[in-house]
């Protein structure tokens, strides 16, 4: 068989064992999608007697299957360890699972034994997802990887979204008893599969559940997608399909090239791998994007995320009553409900995919693994990739005792100057662009540049905390971080010149966002207890330099005649009279900053309101203010309306009051708004949906010891037959029945009434009175004369 040279996009990767040899498999996409193999041996490193390296080939240890594991070959290598180079032993094994077995039999320090084999291979070969790979092949075997280059455009990935509906007479569907009654899909084609008749033209009716499952697996193979989207599919849809396939004595065939479906866990995130395709569960990504501010959804249900991102909603149907709809045999609306769910999943997936692909490219991690990774795990993967490229030794993972020691040594945080509560005119905000990343870069902060001795003759940066960082050689962490920051700067310039409606703009914007997310995660990673590159002196030096620079900026501002209203971490808020003086001051500060550090203008604000901290007092609250921009938009930080654990009516009232004060400058209008809302609540005319409070369960309901409203509501949901677990978003209304607030909490789905007094005293008034207090109002008189008095009389 002759050797041929080919080029294709590298899509996915894994490995298999054949005849005691390990083969990497690739999914590559050229004119067609192909699966290829490449033989590669796993290995680890030993800090031992290099001159006796061949002795290690004599090691034999038993495997679980009864066979013996032995090293297959050995070589001498050199790695950079700290600021010195060291000769080490590189010991190769037959299987990835042999690495920890053989490592246990070696009485010398070992390294790089806990790196997942596939990613280890990507580091060694410097592979990047979605790049173009040039290779030589004989049949299905790659004989040589020649190069990997960044393509002008990423590959076009085919997509399919799906959703299942199950029979649920007990509320919670039971995998071993309740059948899958409907599966919808949306890709090149769309439709609904079921085994009851429907008048809808997109419905295909099968004989029963077995035929339904087999037909769906056939559809997946016909559509042949590169990416399969689902919403909470790793936790529900795929495990349910796997169990129902087993109950029907058929094989779950959703993979490609004979690939299987395999459940797995990454920390607290459930995953489900579909071999040969990229399974993309949208739910954990929506939660991550909500946490880091990429999306603004207050809830992470499919309905809420779709409404925010697509402007579309699910078909309304009571999920607990689904079985009754099915039993009625009039299933048209249920079919529509199912199809819309997969259409929404496809729409959200198309929006999420570009950013996840760019995260995968930047972090050098396969796409499926990227969808399950935290930002810290992405940073670690990128650092391991860079360490391999530069021949640095990758640090070992910390273990239990070391982790606990790190957790018990907290790092001092940022400097905060609290504001005086009040309403102010002419506020300007200046902030340090990427403060912590720029400090790491400018001061060469890295565990390997950290100097142990105090030799004054060595040129170094001395942090305010006393740590010393060498200037002689660039550290890995600041070098990688500088690349991310610089690359993002280039992309931002390119975005200004790119048509916003073009595919190119979408790709560049996604890459810029991916670079920002990773860049902003480096400081946290240095101080993360389970990090390979953890360093307390590094992490505390970052915050110490941050405090130093913000305090020096405050001193300069006051010396220049500005009133410093507020400062927090990387921002200073000044009262100004002349914009030109603000710009001059900013230039003066920048002239004295090191390296990449830069103070920049966030904006000028005609008016702003700062409120007192919780519990009252004369000092203002940190991270809680509202500013009116010159463009008429209001920037809000920390108020209830940007939190999901307050009712919509409270948040909307707060928003309208802020607008009345900041835009209209009218306290009378603010008073009228509050009065009207209270009257509406008293009259019972506020919809229950507007009164719902949403909280995500951080633990499984059975593990909570302290009773809370959301727990009480969750237990009532469970009693009604609705499944609830850790991560579930609970929406509840405070009703009239019960002695405590927890007892009164009723799931929104079951609520029929609300407690008027609670919503006035614990939602509306707390949301607005800190603002109104700055206008001279208080609420003591509201407790007199009953709630039927007009609010104007109280003020």
């Amino acid at each position: 068989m002759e050797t041929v040279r080919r080029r294709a996009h590298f899509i996915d990767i894994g490995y298999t064992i054949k005849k005691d040899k390990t083969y990497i498999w690739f999914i590559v996409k050229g004119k067609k999608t192909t699966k290829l193999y490449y033989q590669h041996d796993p290995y680890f490193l030993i800090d031992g007697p290099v001159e006796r390296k061949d002795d290690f080939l004599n090691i034999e240890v038993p495997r679980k299957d009864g066979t013996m594991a032995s090293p297959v070959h050995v070589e001498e290598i050199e790695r950079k360890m700290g600021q010195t180079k060291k000769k080490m032993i590189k010991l190769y094994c037959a299987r990835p699972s042999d690495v920890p077995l053989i490592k246990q039999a070696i009485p010398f320090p070992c390294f790089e034994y806990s790196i997942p084999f596939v990613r280890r291979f990507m580091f060694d070969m410097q592979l990047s997802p979605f790049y173009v790979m040039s290779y030589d092949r004989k049949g299905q075997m790659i004989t040589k990887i020649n190069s990997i280059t960044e393509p002008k455009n990423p590959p076009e990935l085919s997509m399919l979204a799906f959703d299942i509906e199950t029979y649920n007479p007990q509320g919670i569907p039971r995998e071993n008893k309740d059948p899958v009654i409907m599966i919808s899909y949306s890709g090149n084609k769309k439709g609904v599969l079921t085994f009851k008749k429907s008048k809808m033209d997109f419905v295909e009716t099968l004989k029963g559940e077995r035929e339904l499952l087999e037909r769906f697996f056939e559809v997946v193979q016909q559509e042949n997608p590169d990416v399969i989207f689902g919403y909470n599919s790793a936790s529900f849809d795929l495990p349910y399909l796997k169990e129902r396939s087993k109950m029907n004595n058929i094989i779950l065939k959703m993979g490609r090239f004979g690939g299987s479906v395999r459940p797995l866990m990454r920390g607290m995130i459930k995953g489900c791998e579909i071999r040969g395709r990229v399974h993309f569960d949208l739910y954990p990504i929506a939660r991550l994007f909500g946490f880091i501010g990429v999306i603004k959804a207050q809830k992470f249900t499919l309905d809420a995320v779709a409404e925010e991102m697509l402007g579309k909603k699910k078909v309304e149907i009571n999920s607990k009553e689904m079985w009754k709809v099915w039993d009625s045999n009039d299933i048209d609306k249920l079919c529509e409900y199912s199809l819309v769910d997969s259409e929404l999943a496809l729409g959200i997936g198309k929006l999420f995919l570009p950013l996840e692909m760019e995260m995968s490219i930047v972090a050098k991690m396969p796409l499926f693994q990227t969808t399950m990774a935290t930002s810290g795990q992405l940073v670690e993967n990128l650092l391991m990739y860079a360490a391999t490229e530069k021949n640095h030794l990758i640090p070992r993972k910390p273990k239990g005792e070391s982790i606990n020691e790190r957790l018990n040594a907290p790092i001092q945080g940022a400097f905060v100057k609290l504001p005086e509560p009040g309403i102010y005119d002419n506020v300007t905000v200046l902030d340090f662009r990427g403060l912590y990343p720029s400090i790491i870069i400018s001061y060469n902060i890295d565990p390997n540049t950290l100097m142990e001795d105090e030799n004054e003759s060595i040129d170094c940066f001395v942090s305010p905390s006393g740590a010393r960082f060498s200037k002689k050689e660039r550290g890995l962490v600041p070098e990688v971080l500088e690349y991310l920051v610089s690359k993002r700067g280039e992309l931002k310039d390119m975005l200004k010149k790119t048509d916003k409606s073009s595919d190119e703009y979408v790709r560049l914007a996604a890459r810029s966002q991916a670079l920002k997310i990773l860049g902003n995660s480096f400081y946290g990673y240095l101080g993360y207890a389970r990090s390979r590159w953890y360093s307390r002196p590094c992490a505390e030096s970052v915050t110490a330099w941050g405090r130093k620079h913000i305090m020096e900026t405050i001193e300069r501002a006051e010396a220049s005649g500005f009133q410093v209203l507020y400062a927090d971490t990387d921002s200073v808020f000044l009262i100004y009279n002349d914009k030109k003086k603000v710009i001059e001051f900013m230039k003066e500060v920048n002239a004295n900053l090191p390296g990449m550090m830069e103070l920049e203008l966030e904006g000028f604000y005609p008016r702003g309101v700062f409120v007192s901290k919780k519990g009252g007092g004369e000092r203002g609250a940190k991270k809680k203010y509202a500013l009116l921009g010159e463009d008429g938009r209001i920037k809000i930080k920390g108020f209830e309306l940007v939190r999901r654990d307050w009712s919509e009516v409270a948040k909307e009232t707060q928003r309208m009051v802020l607008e009345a004060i900041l835009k209209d400058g009218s306290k009378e209008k603010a008073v009228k708004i509050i009065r009207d809302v209270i009257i509406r609540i008293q009259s019972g005319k506020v919809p229950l949906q507007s009164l719902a409070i949403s909280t995500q369960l951080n633990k499984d309901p059975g593990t909570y010891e302290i009773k809370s409203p959301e727990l009480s509501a969750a237990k009532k949901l469970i009693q009604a037959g609705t499944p609830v677990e850790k991560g579930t978003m609970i929406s509840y209304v405070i009703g009239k029945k019960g002695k405590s607030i927890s007892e009164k909490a009723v799931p929104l789905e079951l609520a029929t009434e609300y407690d008027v007094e609670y919503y006035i005293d614990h939602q509306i008034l707390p949301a607005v009175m800190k603002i109104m207090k700055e206008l001279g109002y208080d609420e003591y008189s509201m407790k007199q004369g009953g709630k039927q008095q007009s609010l104007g009389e109280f003020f």
Side-chain angles (χ1 to χ4, degrees):
M1 189 178 291
E2 67 173 323
T3 299
V4 294
R5 181 159 292 184
R6 294 287 184 265
R7 294 174 78 251
H9 285 99
F10 163 39
I11 303 296
D12 201 8
I13 191 170
Y15 76 90
T16 187
I17 310 292
K18 292 181 181 179
K19 296 182 179 179
D20 214 30
K21 284 194 172 184
T22 303
Y23 294 85
I24 289 287
W25 56 256
F26 292 93
I27 304 294
V28 297
K29 189 165 187 172
K31 291 182 179 178
K32 62 179 183 178
T33 303
T34 309
K35 187 175 186 179
L36 302 172
Y37 296 89
Y38 182 86
Q39 201 278 315
H40 189 72
D41 295 326
Y43 66 85
F44 64 101
L45 306 181
I46 305 167
D47 184 9
V50 175
E51 66 280 1
R52 292 170 46 205
K53 64 181 185 298
D54 290 339
D55 293 348
F56 292 94
L57 294 173
N58 299 321
I59 295 172
E60 279 193 339
V61 292
R63 298 181 179 127
K64 287 184 179 179
D65 63 5
T67 60
M68 301 302 290
S70 294
V72 294
H73 59 286
V74 64
E75 63 184 50
E76 177 185 323
I77 54 114
E78 188 175 75
R79 284 285 191 272
K80 187 170 182 186
M81 184 185 283
Q83 297 185 36
T84 62
K85 291 182 179 179
K86 188 173 185 62
K87 290 184 178 180
M88 304 184 79
I89 299 165
K90 189 175 186 180
L91 194 64
Y92 291 87
C93 306
R95 307 177 186 178
S97 58
D98 290 348
V99 169
L101 292 176
I102 294 173
K103 177 255 177 190
Q104 290 296 327
I106 293 173
F108 300 100
C110 297
F111 296 87
E112 301 192 4
Y113 51 82
S114 62
I115 298 170
F117 174 62
V118 165
R119 283 192 256 165
R120 167 84 278 174
F121 175 79
M122 289 180 66
F123 303 157
D124 290 340
M125 308 302 281
Q126 291 291 285
L127 297 177
S128 184
F130 308 114
Y131 274 36
V132 174
M133 188 167 73
S134 170
Y135 53 90
D136 296 340
R137 61 177 279 196
K138 279 186 178 181
Q140 283 189 292
M141 291 297 299
I142 293 175
T143 56
K144 183 183 179 184
I145 297 173
N146 301 306
S147 64
I148 183 147
T149 56
E150 183 173 5
K152 184 176 180 182
N153 294 304
E156 289 189 13
L157 302 182
S158 56
M159 295 168 271
L160 179 73
F162 80 101
D163 184 67
I164 73 171
E165 312 301 342
T166 58
Y167 193 62
N168 61 338
Q170 300 298 314
I172 303 173
R174 301 159 296 180
E175 293 177 350
N176 61 342
K177 291 186 177 181
D178 298 324
V180 174
I181 56 176
M182 200 170 285
I183 304 177
S184 65
Y185 60 91
S186 183
N188 292 323
K189 297 179 181 179
K190 60 184 178 181
V192 171
L193 307 174
T194 186
F195 49 92
K196 282 192 176 183
K197 290 185 178 180
S198 166
K199 296 189 289 291
M200 299 297 196
D201 58 6
F202 55 79
V203 175
E204 182 180 348
T205 304
L206 291 309
K207 289 183 180 179
E209 185 189 24
R210 180 189 175 96
E211 291 75 16
L212 164 66
L213 296 173
E214 289 180 324
R215 176 60 183 139
F216 174 61
F217 302 152
E218 188 179 81
V219 166
V220 172
Q221 300 307 321
Q222 289 171 347
E223 287 279 304
N224 196 23
D226 296 312
V227 181
I228 293 183
F229 296 119
Y231 206 90
N232 202 31
S233 47
S235 293
F236 180 71
D237 301 71
L238 287 174
Y240 208 97
L241 285 176
K242 191 164 188 175
E243 181 61 26
R244 294 311 301 171
S245 295
K246 181 180 176 182
M247 298 296 294
N248 282 276
N249 199 29
I250 57 174
I251 299 171
L252 176 57
K253 295 179 180 177
M254 290 181 66
R256 186 190 253 158
F257 307 113
S260 61
V261 176
R262 184 171 66 101
L264 41 79
M265 288 287 291
R266 290 286 184 273
M268 300 303 295
I269 300 175
K270 288 182 181 178
C272 222
E273 182 182 43
I274 302 176
R275 288 286 178 89
R277 310 187 196 279
V278 177
H279 172 227
F280 194 139
D281 188 345
L282 299 164
Y283 173 62
I285 300 298
R287 287 176 58 186
L288 173 63
F289 285 177
F291 177 74
I292 63 180
V294 174
I295 63 174
K296 301 265 190 291
Q298 299 294 303
K299 300 180 184 179
F300 300 115
T301 60
L302 174 60
D303 199 36
V305 174
E307 184 174 14
E308 187 208 325
M309 299 194 70
L310 305 173
K312 298 178 181 178
K313 291 178 70 68
K314 287 161 61 81
V315 172
E316 287 190 17
I317 195 167
N318 188 337
S319 60
K320 295 191 297 297
E321 303 290 316
M322 194 175 293
W323 66 278
K324 291 183 180 179
V325 178
W326 177 258
D327 283 350
S328 74
N329 294 323
D330 183 9
I331 65 167
D332 289 352
K333 188 173 182 181
L334 187 56
C335 291
E336 184 184 2
Y337 170 90
S338 181
L339 182 63
V340 168
D341 276 8
S342 59
E343 289 176 328
L344 294 179
L346 181 65
I348 295 168
K350 285 180 176 179
L351 295 177
F352 280 178
L353 184 59
L355 177 52
E356 280 298 309
M357 286 179 68
E358 294 300 333
M359 294 276 275
S360 173
I361 291 168
V362 172
K364 312 301 180 187
M365 184 183 285
L367 179 57
F368 170 66
Q369 295 179 30
T370 300
T371 66
M372 295 182 63
T374 64
S375 56
Q377 289 166 341
L378 295 173
V379 167
E380 181 162 282
N381 198 76
L382 178 57
L383 286 174
M384 290 195 290
Y385 183 97
T388 304
E389 179 188 19
K390 297 181 183 303
N391 211 33
H392 286 232
L393 185 70
I394 296 173
R396 286 180 284 202
K397 271 188 172 182
K399 294 186 178 179
E401 188 176 327
S402 177
I403 292 171
N404 290 333
E405 185 179 320
R406 294 173 179 185
L407 289 170
N408 292 325
I411 294 161
Q412 186 180 351
F415 173 79
V416 178
K417 171 183 165 58
L418 294 175
E420 296 295 329
I423 297 170
Y424 297 87
D425 290 335
N426 296 333
V427 179
T428 185
V429 181
L430 305 175
D431 58 22
F432 285 97
R433 180 167 57 88
L435 178 64
Y436 287 171
S438 67
I439 286 173
I440 293 170
I441 295 165
S442 299
Y443 292 108
N444 202 28
I445 297 176
D446 185 286
N448 289 327
T449 63
L450 186 63
M451 297 167 61
E452 298 291 337
D453 58 51
E454 298 185 3
N455 189 339
E456 291 294 336
S457 66
I458 297 177
D459 196 14
C460 63
F461 297 106
V462 182
S463 85
S465 62
R468 299 154 57 81
F469 300 93
S470 173
K471 293 181 181 180
K472 288 178 65 177
E473 191 170 347
R474 198 83 174 116
L476 180 71
V477 171
E479 185 175 4
V480 173
L481 184 53
E482 184 171 13
Y483 167 78
L484 298 180
V485 172
S486 300
K487 194 70 178 175
R488 183 165 185 254
E490 293 173 14
L491 287 176
K492 288 171 79 173
D493 290 338
M494 292 172 65
L495 282 166
K496 293 174 184 176
K497 304 170 187 175
T498 306
D499 179 6
K500 289 188 177 182
S501 63
S502 67
D503 291 340
E504 175 73 358
Y505 186 90
V506 172
R507 186 179 70 82
L508 292 176
R511 177 71 63 89
S512 177
Q513 184 71 36
L515 291 166
K516 178 183 178 181
I517 291 169
L518 259 70
N520 287 341
S521 302
F522 269 67
Y523 159 69
Y525 179 73
L526 284 173
Y528 175 53
R530 291 174 172 79
S531 159
R532 289 178 186 266
W533 272 268
Y534 171 89
S535 170
R536 191 174 195 279
C538 287
E540 66 183 0
S541 291
V542 174
T543 56
W545 260 307
R547 291 191 299 273
K548 173 180 180 290
H549 285 293
I550 200 76
M551 291 168 72
E552 286 179 350
T553 303
I554 290 171
E555 291 172 5
R556 282 180 179 272
E558 290 175 340
S560 299
F562 292 101
Q563 177 187 344
V564 180
L565 174 61
Y566 173 50
D568 188 353
T569 310
D570 60 355
S571 303
V572 288
F573 294 59
L574 310 177
I575 304 296
Y576 70 92
N577 293 315
D578 186 341
K579 291 182 181 179
K580 289 183 180 179
K581 288 185 177 179
V582 174
I583 303 301
E584 289 171 3
F585 167 72
M586 190 170 62
K587 289 179 179 178
E588 178 190 331
V589 171
N590 283 330
N592 292 280
L593 291 174
M596 294 189 74
M597 293 193 69
E598 181 183 358
L599 187 67
E600 55 186 8
L601 175 70
E602 186 205 280
F604 293 106
Y605 300 92
R607 186 173 294 123
V609 58
F610 293 78
V611 300
S612 58
K613 61 184 179 181
K614 192 173 183 179
E618 297 180 356
R619 301 309 302 274
K622 66 177 181 177
K623 299 186 188 299
K624 192 165 186 178
Y625 55 84
L627 299 169
L628 174 66
E630 293 183 306
D631 58 359
R633 296 181 182 179
I634 296 178
K635 177 182 178 179
I636 296 166
K637 187 80 170 179
F639 279 100
E640 286 74 13
L641 66 88
V642 296
R643 291 169 50 187
R644 62 171 175 259
D645 55 349
W646 281 71
S647 64
E648 284 300 320
V649 68
K651 291 188 281 188
E652 180 63 13
T653 304
Q654 189 179 74
R655 184 188 64 77
M656 292 190 297
V657 167
L658 284 170
E659 285 187 352
I661 293 168
L662 294 175
K663 285 187 175 182
D664 304 322
S666 173
K667 62 182 180 182
E668 292 79 15
K669 184 175 180 180
V671 168
K672 185 177 186 304
I673 288 166
I674 300 168
R675 179 192 65 209
D676 291 346
V677 171
I678 287 181
I679 291 172
R680 280 181 60 224
I681 289 174
Q682 291 170 339
S683 67
K685 294 180 180 178
V686 179
L688 292 170
Q689 184 73 39
S690 296
L691 297 165
I693 301 163
S694 298
T695 303
Q696 189 174 34
L697 292 179
N698 294 321
K699 301 178 183 177
D700 287 317
T703 63
Y704 277 84
E705 296 178 4
I706 301 172
K707 198 169 185 182
S708 62
E710 63 269 21
L711 176 60
S712 177
K715 289 184 174 178
K716 289 171 185 174
L717 269 179
I718 293 170
Q719 289 169 3
T722 300
V724 174
E725 59 181 14
K726 179 182 178 181
T728 300
M729 189 67 69
I730 302 294
S731 295
Y732 60 91
V733 174
I734 302 302
K736 296 179 179 179
K737 297 177 182 177
K739 294 180 181 179
S740 66
I741 297 300
S742 293
E743 289 176 3
K744 291 181 176 182
V746 181
L748 176 60
E749 299 91 327
L750 307 177
T752 57
E753 59 184 9
Y754 63 86
D755 184 334
V756 170
E757 303 294 321
Y758 171 83
Y759 281 96
I760 293 174
D761 293 343
H762 297 283
Q763 288 281 312
I764 301 302
L765 294 181
V768 298
M769 285 312 301
K770 283 187 178 179
I771 304 166
M772 300 306 293
K773 180 182 175 183
E774 311 312 329
L775 296 173
Y777 299 112
D778 61 48
E779 59 174 287
Y780 79 94
S781 57
M782 291 186 179
K783 305 299 180 184
Q784 302 173 12
K787 294 294 184 291
Q788 295 301 324
Q789 287 180 265
S790 74
L791 198 57
E793 293 178 48
F794 298 145
F795 292 149

